[in-house]
Amino acid sequence: MEISQGGDDSYQKKFALPVDSEHKATEFRLFSVAAPHMRAFHLSWISFFACFVSTFAAPPLLPIIRDNLDLTATDIGNAGIAAVSGAVFARIAMGTACDLFGPRLASASLTLLTAPAVYCTSIANSAVSFLLVRFFTGFSLATFVSTQFWMSSMFSARVVGTANGVAGGWGNLGGGATQLIMPLVFDLIHHIGATKFTAWRIAFFIPALFQTLSAYGIFFLGQDLPDGNYSQLHKSGDKHKDNFAQVFHHAVTNYRGWILALTYGYCFGVELTIDNIIAQYFYDRFNVNLHTAGIIAASFGLANLFSRPGGGMLSDLMAKKFGMRGRLWTLWIVQTLGGVFCILLGKVGSLGVSIAVMLIFSVFVQAACGLTFGVVPFVSRRSLGIISGMTGGGGNVGAVLTQVIFFRGSRYSTETGLTLMGVMIICCTLLITLIHFPQWGGMFCGPASKSTTEEDYYMSEWNSAEKEQGFHKASLKFSENSRSERGKRIGSAPTPNNSTPDTYV
Amino acid sequence: MAFPGFLLALFLLSCLAASCCGVTFSSLQDTLIVTASPQPGQVLKAGEDKITVTWALNTSFPAGIDSAYGTIKVKLCFAPISQQDRAWRKTVDNLKKDKTCLHKIVAKPYSTSNNTFTWTVQRDVPTATYFIRAYACNSADEEVAYGQTTDSHKTTNLFEVQAISGRHVSLDIASVCFSAFSILSLFGFFFLEKRKAKASQTK
């Protein structure tokens, strides 16, 4: 157990995990629920899981819902697109909210605000109302951003990839689990005596209640930062309330955020698209029954149990040896391979091989998601929330784009759509070659110069007036802690000649 | 030159083989006269209204045509207008894959007289336009003949069913109450948070 002293506090803070100078945990212990680090981890992945279950609760029950609400195939397709499009802007807004109010309040608020949409799914009575409830429920997928932000605030550079990967992956698991949970709940309620058209409505109370309870858990048991909550830290002066315009400006002017947003659309966006279309693909092409198609669809999402966390861990492993350049190379390789297996998936004609290719494809595409969020925490320190939100939102944009281009109407058969989607994945992933950090380098180039430091990069987000007031201190600590992204060069690397200006009041 | 020809022959043979294993609708004879109680355009309520179906052999056919008939299966079938943009109700010639008639009304052994049945429209029947079809099946449970209340283009004598909504007042109230509770909780959270922050400031 390491004991760290809080800056000006008169009492010592004890943490159950070893921490760095920002009090972020330097180890990730999966089976611990110690406050604040591991507790934050478990609260965030469980609430994100609940939101995923709610957002994709309708697809497995569609055979009943489409008869009850008299839906056409177009209605169903539009509702599926609506479910993932709401989160595009919600994720960016969530990023801002995290930067300004902290992940705890931001995610608890969103989860509670979208719970009514899930409760009201029970009273939907037309195609329009069905589309609206799926649209508003889909906003809850923005809790992904608060999850990643929270993990990036609680865990140090050494383990942030792992923490982000496991939290994101286990949350995404909800998309697979719901394909098994909802039919079971429906069957149970139907057996108890409700007619089919009532049983599915009652079934939606389960994900809704789960969501509400997880919001309560986050509010009462969670904490924004290792040192406390934003509201307390703001009032006590330990954390200053940042200026939205500045935070926004530094996010949108950082080209790396835009590149990652686009490439995330071709791993996570592709994952969402597959969640929506894969059951029908197997049902139509290979004539399996709906139940079997549902199980196959579930297994795609369930691979998230280990594949996305695996991506995060791989990112951290590569960073140990090769630093940020290792993270970028691994991301490019894994996501490109995901594209290759997507092309294959469309070409394969037999059921067994198709399932095998789909599972391999799911592992690569989900690992790429984990690898992406091994890079995101380093793009910006001041605007971490908005960058996370942009990247997350880009994922949903990718889902909307691929569904509209390849899987709507009868322009392409589903298998052709899959192959073309694979080609698009490979092309868009090439953009990762353009990402370059002046202090660490990019895929093909080394650092800008021998003397560029982490401080140079992160301090450029603050102007001199802000530095005079000491607002940049957190970024300074982060710069120091991110030196591990140099890889094995860490010993011979330059350190800043103007060290911490602790003479500022 | 010979190879593509061989492939084509193999392809055609396999198609034939596939279709021969399932009975096709186009191979069935329209030997049954089926009448049902709903008037053309009538709207029936699921769970409440009843349909009385009567079927008999069309005597204009030669005698003995019904020798293989073992069971009569009467089904509720979707009219073309209710199949539009709904691939899960598609009409396919191979009866094993055909999804036109998804709701079973009754299955009765074949007899030459007194073929009638009254059915209460079940509560899981969706809102749509329907007609009624009866299949005559042999002892191997394969369809050998049929009869329907509409014409061959499925445009005449169609009726509608209005499904139950599945909603109940108690469910509506529960949804609204829980939703309101969620929003109120949110305001409660903000209030509590402000109080905690003030308390830490005065420390």
Side-chain angles (χ1 to χ4, degrees):
Chain A
M1 242 182 20
E2 244 180 63
I3 302 168
S4 311
Q5 278 187 313
D8 298 334
D9 291 340
S10 54
Y11 55 94
Q12 281 186 338
K13 283 199 180 118
K14 281 188 181 175
F15 294 107
L17 271 63
V19 295
D20 63 14
S21 66
E22 290 175 279
H23 297 166
K24 291 187 186 177
T26 54
E27 268 177 38
F28 180 77
R29 287 190 201 149
L30 192 57
F31 298 108
S32 152
V33 284
H37 308 96
M38 292 316 299
R39 190 173 294 185
F41 164 75
H42 287 292
L43 286 169
S44 63
W45 83 257
I46 289 176
S47 69
F48 184 41
F49 178 92
C51 293
F52 240 99
V53 169
S54 304
T55 305
F56 291 100
L61 295 182
L62 269 174
I64 315 292
I65 300 177
R66 69 191 178 197
D67 275 348
N68 193 185
L69 304 181
D70 200 19
L71 303 175
T72 62
T74 308
D75 293 331
I76 295 174
N78 288 339
I81 293 176
V84 295
S85 56
V88 173
F89 294 106
R91 284 182 164 202
I92 301 173
M94 183 59 130
T96 313
C98 284
D99 279 326
L100 301 176
F101 306 113
R104 175 178 150 265
L105 267 186
S107 71
S109 305
L110 181 69
T111 311
L112 276 180
L113 276 173
T114 49
V118 192
Y119 288 118
C120 289
T121 310
S122 306
I123 56 180
N125 61 358
S126 65
V128 173
S129 54
F130 181 65
L131 184 134
L132 283 174
V133 291
R134 281 211 78 188
F135 177 66
F136 287 112
T137 305
F139 277 55
S140 66
L141 286 187
T143 45
F144 166 73
V145 177
S146 57
T147 301
Q148 303 291 287
F149 184 97
W150 211 355
M151 295 300 98
S152 304
S153 308
M154 285 285 181
F155 292 92
S156 73
R158 243 176 284 259
V159 288
V160 75
T162 305
N164 275 342
V166 184
W170 287 12
N172 282 16
L173 213 57
T178 195
Q179 312 257 10
L180 298 170
I181 294 174
M182 292 306 284
L184 269 170
V185 172
F186 167 79
D187 272 336
L188 193 69
I189 299 174
H190 184 42
H191 258 114
I192 291 179
T195 56
K196 284 186 183 170
F197 288 178
T198 305
W200 76 263
R201 295 171 183 277
I202 302 176
F204 267 83
F205 273 80
I206 304 298
L209 282 167
F210 186 17
Q211 224 181 289
T212 313
L213 285 171
S214 66
Y216 270 74
I218 289 183
F219 182 77
F220 287 110
L221 300 172
Q223 194 177 298
D224 289 314
L225 291 167
D227 292 332
N229 287 315
Y230 273 37
S231 54
Q232 291 164 294
L233 297 174
H234 282 160
K235 285 269 190 308
S236 69
D238 283 333
K239 186 183 191 327
H240 98 278
K241 204 165 182 183
D242 210 342
N243 174 311
F244 170 68
Q246 285 291 324
V247 170
F248 186 76
H249 173 258
H250 287 291
V252 298
T253 51
N254 195 328
Y255 75 93
R256 300 167 196 84
W258 291 104
I259 292 182
L260 287 172
L262 182 61
T263 58
Y264 195 60
Y266 286 91
C267 52
F268 182 64
V270 162
E271 185 184 332
L272 288 182
T273 300
I274 298 281
D275 275 338
N276 263 339
I277 61 130
I278 200 71
Q280 283 170 308
Y281 172 67
F282 278 95
Y283 182 78
D284 290 333
R285 192 168 184 204
F286 300 106
N287 291 317
V288 297
N289 64 39
L290 209 65
H291 233 94
T292 310
I295 294 176
I296 298 175
S299 65
F300 176 84
L302 291 175
N304 265 303
L305 182 68
F306 57 86
S307 52
R308 187 172 176 138
M313 285 185 233
L314 186 61
S315 190
D316 286 338
L317 193 69
M318 289 292 120
K320 247 197 223 170
K321 285 195 178 151
F322 305 109
M324 176 54 70
R325 297 183 75 182
R327 292 191 196 261
L328 290 170
W329 267 102
T330 318
L331 171 57
W332 179 76
I333 291 174
V334 170
Q335 193 160 318
T336 303
L337 280 173
V340 168
F341 283 103
C342 191
I343 295 176
L344 262 177
L345 183 62
K347 298 271 185 207
V348 159
S350 84
L351 179 61
V353 184
S354 194
I355 295 180
V357 172
M358 184 202 75
L359 288 171
I360 300 175
F361 165 59
S362 73
V363 170
F364 277 97
V365 103
Q366 289 158 9
C369 296
L371 282 154
T372 305
F373 275 85
V375 175
V376 165
F378 299 100
V379 171
S380 163
R381 178 61 190 86
R382 186 174 189 183
S383 311
L384 172 64
I386 300 191
I387 296 279
S388 299
M390 275 165 60
T391 309
N396 283 61
V397 170
V400 172
L401 271 176
T402 45
Q403 281 179 94
V404 168
I405 298 175
F406 301 121
F407 300 106
R408 196 200 210 192
S410 36
R411 188 158 168 220
Y412 300 113
S413 66
T414 310
E415 48 264 33
T416 313
L418 285 169
T419 303
L420 291 174
M421 185 167 75
V423 174
M424 198 164 181
I425 294 174
I426 296 180
C427 293
C428 290
T429 307
L430 281 170
L431 285 168
I432 295 176
T433 53
L434 298 176
I435 297 182
H436 184 269
F437 286 89
Q439 71 276 33
W440 298 316
M443 273 174 73
F444 296 119
C445 306
S449 75
K450 285 268 183 231
S451 56
T452 320
T453 65
E454 289 76 9
E455 276 76 4
D456 296 334
Y457 180 75
Y458 292 110
M459 287 302 108
S460 65
E461 295 181 320
W462 302 92
N463 61 38
S464 42
E466 289 162 336
K467 285 187 199 172
E468 264 181 49
Q469 296 188 66
F471 291 160
H472 64 298
K473 280 193 186 157
S475 289
L476 216 47
K477 282 188 194 164
F478 180 74
S479 309
E480 219 177 285
N481 291 320
S482 66
R483 254 189 265 293
S484 54
E485 294 307 303
R486 297 185 186 181
K488 284 220 169 114
R489 290 189 301 119
I490 207 168
S492 57
T495 44
N497 34 27
N498 287 337
S499 39
T500 316
D502 50 358
T503 50
Y504 285 107
V505 175
Chain B
M1 259 318 254
F3 191 64
F6 169 71
L7 275 180
L8 186 65
L10 198 64
F11 174 75
L12 282 172
L13 263 171
S14 56
C15 279
L16 271 170
S19 58
C20 86
C21 294
V23 182
T24 60
F25 183 70
S26 45
S27 69
L28 299 181
Q29 275 185 308
D30 188 357
T31 63
L32 299 172
I33 300 177
V34 183
T35 51
S37 55
Q39 298 301 311
Q42 186 183 354
V43 180
L44 300 169
K45 291 219 182 92
E48 288 175 24
D49 293 332
K50 299 188 203 290
I51 299 179
T52 306
V53 190
T54 313
W55 61 94
L57 184 67
N58 187 344
T59 46
S60 59
F61 282 89
I65 200 164
D66 60 347
S67 53
Y69 298 1
T71 331
I72 299 288
K73 289 185 186 163
V74 186
K75 294 186 178 178
L76 192 64
C77 308
F78 293 108
I81 194 171
S82 291
Q83 292 175 301
Q84 267 173 20
D85 204 12
R86 293 177 175 89
W88 57 91
R89 295 179 184 168
K90 211 160 82 161
T91 297
V92 170
D93 205 24
N94 183 345
L95 285 174
K96 279 211 163 64
K97 296 191 177 165
D98 182 40
K99 304 265 197 319
T100 319
C101 305
L102 292 176
H103 296 273
K104 200 173 93 164
I105 295 179
V106 71
K108 264 180 142 184
Y110 174 70
S111 77
T112 43
S113 65
N114 203 21
N115 293 314
T116 185
F117 186 77
T118 303
W119 184 65
T120 310
V121 182
Q122 285 185 321
R123 302 179 79 207
D124 63 352
V125 173
T127 300
T129 310
Y130 297 92
F131 62 94
I132 293 179
R133 182 183 287 168
Y135 287 108
C137 298
N138 61 17
S139 50
D141 210 29
E142 278 172 1
E143 294 84 355
V144 289
Y146 78 99
Q148 58 192 24
T149 55
T150 183
D151 64 350
S152 58
H153 296 289
K154 299 183 270 187
T155 50
T156 60
N157 204 20
L158 304 170
F159 60 94
E160 286 170 36
V161 169
Q162 181 66 37
I164 60 166
S165 72
R167 290 173 61 178
H168 289 275
V169 177
S170 52
L171 212 57
D172 291 355
I173 295 177
S175 288
V176 173
C177 283
F178 276 102
S179 302
F181 178 69
S182 301
I183 305 292
L184 282 172
S185 302
L186 189 59
F187 285 116
F189 284 4
F190 282 132
F191 175 69
L192 277 173
E193 195 68 7
K194 276 222 156 83
R195 244 191 21 190
K196 251 197 261 177
K198 279 211 183 105
S200 72
Q201 192 182 25
T202 55
K203 256 194 196 160

